[in-house]
Every structure is written in structure tokens, then in C-alpha cells.
Amino acid sequence: MKIIIFITTCENYEHSRAKKIEKTWGNKENVVFITDNEHSSLKKHIYIGKYKTGPAYHPENVIKIFHLFINNYSNYDWFMIIDDDSYLYIEKLLSYLSFYDPNDCLMMGDFLNWCERGAGPLFNGQITPGPNYSVWPGGGPGIVFSKSCVEFFLQLIANIEIPYVNYDVWLHYLYLIGGQAKIKRIHCPGFHQHGKNILKKYPLDSKLLISIHLERNMELLDAFHIQSETHQ
């Protein structure tokens, strides 16, 4: 079982975020940085051109990333997109994924931990009381896809036109319109969109710590990594 992990970063955050990940949990063979910096000094990176303006994570950039995965990494069972201000325990993630069949059309992330107070407007304009599966997975700690799920999303993208919003919400809209019969969405309790108080809540060896969005606080990355190294 293999996973390829794409960390989305940019020229503005290369030194303050991406370089720190490269020196910690991201220093792995199966981790690649996606960037808009043509002259990036990151060891393993792919330049996908200048990012489209608009939503923070523009869907057109994600479409490029999906095609990049299918064209260059199709020998991998799993594919992950994750923010450049998150901490990921790769071995814990692989252990979690071992319970699932990569041949299924699977999409995994934090659907429930982040939306305790409601997730805001849905595609139909209604407010979701939360937590429940009627919302999108928070993009910060990342979203994991089986290869067949990426292939199916590309089919939906080719046939369904919807307004561009942040990519996690946009994928949710695609799911609502054309994906509900096929895509199996799974909440991973070890993914945390809001990670500021996670160290107080769980010990470092907890299986409930897999991916933590640090919410731009990169000092937390050192805290997680130092304690992670101590527990190895």
C-alpha cells in the first residue's frame, strides 16, 4: 500500500512554512511540495505555474494537481492534499488506511471535528447545525482520496460546471450534485482542522492524532515534532 502526499505551498510561505515541514515530517520520499515558485529551493517540488487568483485554494489549481497525480503517480493507491501549516503522522495515516480497500471510491478527512457549531451555508443556502456529514471536510489537515475517487472527480469536473469557491467546498458541491451514489465519504477521527488545543487533549502516541492543522502557528510544528521524536 502506497500513498503520495502533495503539500500545497507558495512562494510567500516557502521559508516560513514549507521549509520547516521539509526539515520535519515532510522529509520523506513520498512527500512532494506543490508550488507557484518557478525557482523554488525545496528539494522535492513541482511547479504548476502561477496560481489562479480568487479563492485561497483555487479549484483550477486542484484540477492541475489531480491530473498530475493520475499522469505521474498512478502506481500509488492513495493520494493526499494537505496544507503547508499542518503536521502529519505518515505512519499513523498508513496504519489507518490499512483498514480500507483502495479500490473503493473513498474520500477521507475531517468532516465532524471542525463543525461543532455549524459549518455555514451549504449549496442550497441552508445553515448546517453540525456536526454531521452534510458538510465538507476541512481542507487544513488534508483530504485523502483513493485513485478511483480522483478519477471519478475528474469525470464530474468535466461534466458539471459550478461556481468556483475554496477547493474543499467546491469538491463538496461536486459530490452533492453528481457524486453521492458513488463516493464514500469517511470521517477520520484523527484529522483535526482546528489544532490549537490538540496537544492538551491527546497524548502524542494517540491514534486520534494523525493530521493536525496548525492554523498558521508554525511554532506548534516544532512542539509536535520534538514530542514525536521523543516518543519514537
Side-chain angles (χ1 to χ4, degrees), residues 134-198:
S134 64
V135 299
W136 51 91
I143 304 174
V144 176
F145 308 85
S146 63
K147 182 168 66 174
S148 65
C149 188
V150 175
E151 290 171 339
F152 185 62
F153 264 121
L154 285 173
Q155 291 177 31
L156 294 179
I157 291 164
N159 293 286
I160 297 173
E161 189 171 328
I162 57 173
Y164 282 151
V165 288
N166 280 355
Y167 90 93
D168 47 2
V169 183
W170 176 73
L171 290 175
H172 176 64
Y173 292 168
L174 286 170
Y175 165 80
L176 289 177
I177 296 172
Q180 296 187 60
K182 185 169 182 178
I183 297 172
K184 299 176 183 178
R185 304 199 307 168
I186 297 170
H187 170 67
C188 177
F191 279 45
H192 304 276
Q193 172 73 9
H194 301 302
K196 290 180 179 178
N197 298 314
I198 283 299

Side-chain angles (χ1 to χ4, degrees), residues 11-12 31 55-56 90 101 108 127 138 147-148 170 180 208 210 222 224:
E11 184 173 4
N12 288 342
V31 174
I90 297 176
D101 184 352
M108 302 177 182
I127 300 297
K147 182 168 66 174
S148 65
W170 176 73
Q180 296 187 60
L208 294 173
I210 297 178
D222 293 328
F224 274 103

Side-chain angles (χ1 to χ4, degrees), residues 25-39:
W25 69 263
N27 186 23
K28 303 289 183 181
E29 182 65 26
N30 60 335
V31 174
V32 179
F33 291 89
I34 302 299
T35 182
D36 65 345
N37 182 6
E38 186 176 6
H39 306 290

Side-chain angles (χ1 to χ4, degrees), residues 33-51:
F33 291 89
I34 302 299
T35 182
D36 65 345
N37 182 6
E38 186 176 6
H39 306 290
S40 174
S41 61
L42 292 164
K43 296 176 185 176
K44 290 191 64 179
H45 72 273
I46 297 175
Y47 169 66
I48 64 167
K50 294 302 179 183
Y51 289 163

Side-chain angles (χ1 to χ4, degrees), residues 105-119:
C105 190
L106 300 174
M107 178 183 187
M108 302 177 182
D110 178 9
F111 288 90
L112 304 178
N113 288 332
W114 74 276
C115 59
E116 294 177 356
R117 294 180 298 277

Side-chain angles (χ1 to χ4, degrees), residues 202-228:
Y202 300 112
L204 264 292
D205 59 354
S206 172
K207 293 180 180 179
L208 294 173
L209 281 185
I210 297 178
S211 185
I212 305 96
H213 184 221
L214 306 177
E215 301 176 85
R216 304 181 181 88
N217 184 356
M218 298 308 288
E219 292 181 4
L220 278 177
L221 183 142
D222 293 328
F224 274 103
H225 192 66
I226 291 170
Q227 293 194 45
S228 176

